[in-house]
Amino acid sequence: MNDSMSIPHLIMNASGVVQLVMLLLLIASILSWVVVFQRSFVMRKARKAHREFEDRFWSGVDLNELYRETPAEQETLGAEHLFRAGFREFNRLMPKTRSPQAILDGVQRSMRVAWSREEERLNLHLVFLATVASASPYIGLFGTVWGIMGSFQSLSMAQQATLATVAPWIAEALVATAMGLFAAIPAVIFYNRLSSESSRLLGKYEDFAEEFHSILHRNLQGRSDSGND
């Protein structure tokens, strides 16, 4: 390949606007990969924590003992966070009211708040990936248009129109397009993948909340029946 048409040479000798576009796309690509690796680690940790907690929860352990074993709320994740929030509210309301429905409503509200916090934690920075995925092709296209405009300007000033006159401009325009796709394609792939994983985990948390709510309902129903006897 001719050195003058190599990609590094084209980038170094591109117009200032196209270089700025390429720099912006490069920064967006690097940041999106940072988000991908960080979010992938968070999802993997969340999956592991959910499996471990569900194994403990369904092992038949006493709920009071399980509650005492769970760490502070700031350190809990996923279903464990929902359990801690719900059971804490259950223990708080039990001495204050005789209405099972009031207790269950309070537990449900607490778990809903905890679920919302888990949703926020799992989806953190995914909007950035979506922004890179949608905006990068258009930013690259702007660099393409600018490069093509430069090729027309060079043609208007040239006494003889040749391929050598416009080739560098067209080439740098295509490099800008390629960098836009280079930033956008991984971002859109991992955004879809991470969003799907987040939705799957949130669905599991919601299922756990429903099951835990049913257990507390049966517990309260059993106490109510014993009291009536």
Side-chain angles (χ1 to χ4, degrees):
M1 179 185 291
N2 191 338
D3 289 341
S4 63
M5 294 300 291
S6 65
I7 292 178
H9 186 272
L10 289 171
I11 293 174
M12 294 301 296
N13 291 278
S15 61
V17 173
V18 175
Q19 284 185 335
L20 182 61
V21 167
M22 292 179 181
L23 178 62
L24 183 61
L25 291 170
L26 179 62
I27 293 173
S29 179
I30 292 173
L31 291 178
S32 66
W33 278 107
V34 171
V35 170
V36 165
F37 285 117
Q38 193 266 343
R39 290 288 91 194
S40 297
F41 173 77
V42 168
M43 297 294 178
R44 185 164 58 249
K45 183 178 178 182
R47 287 196 304 270
K48 181 180 178 182
H50 181 74
R51 286 195 303 268
E52 291 177 350
F53 177 74
E54 280 224 313
D55 288 343
R56 282 162 49 210
F57 183 84
W58 295 112
S59 65
V61 65
D62 181 72
L63 294 183
N64 288 289
E65 181 182 345
L66 181 61
Y67 179 76
R68 287 191 295 268
E69 290 176 355
T70 57
E73 187 171 341
Q74 294 82 1
E75 302 174 15
T76 55
L77 299 173
E80 189 175 31
H81 184 194
L82 270 66
F83 166 77
R84 184 172 179 82
F87 201 67
R88 182 186 60 215
E89 188 68 7
F90 179 79
N91 288 333
R92 188 182 72 84
L93 292 175
M94 276 291 291
K96 296 183 178 181
T97 178
R98 293 181 177 274
S99 170
Q101 190 58 46
I103 295 173
L104 292 174
D105 288 346
V107 169
Q108 196 166 40
R109 283 194 299 271
S110 295
M111 289 196 294
R112 192 180 301 121
V113 170
W115 186 90
S116 296
R117 289 175 180 168
E118 289 301 310
E119 181 184 27
E120 181 180 356
R121 184 181 65 83
L122 289 177
N123 291 331
L124 187 65
H125 301 315
L126 291 188
V127 172
F128 175 77
L129 281 184
T131 302
V132 171
S134 59
S136 293
Y138 295 104
I139 296 173
L141 184 60
F142 174 77
T144 304
V145 171
W146 193 270
I148 292 175
M149 287 172 56
S151 69
F152 284 129
Q153 289 176 351
S154 65
L155 277 175
S156 66
M157 293 184 295
Q159 295 180 349
Q160 184 179 3
T162 63
L163 182 60
T165 306
V166 298
W169 289 96
I170 299 296
E172 75 176 43
L174 295 177
V175 170
T177 302
M179 289 193 68
L181 296 175
F182 177 77
I185 292 173
V188 72
I189 290 174
F190 282 101
Y191 171 76
N192 290 331
R193 177 179 176 184
L194 293 170
S195 294
S196 175
E197 183 64 29
S198 172
S199 299
R200 192 178 302 114
L201 282 169
L202 290 171
K204 290 180 179 180
Y205 299 162
E206 194 169 1
D207 291 342
F208 170 80
E210 291 293 330
E211 292 168 340
F212 182 48
H213 184 271
S214 298
I215 290 173
L216 294 180
H217 180 269
R218 290 195 297 270
N219 190 316
L220 289 172
Q221 194 67 38
R223 293 187 182 186
S224 177
D225 293 341
S226 299
N228 292 333
D229 292 342

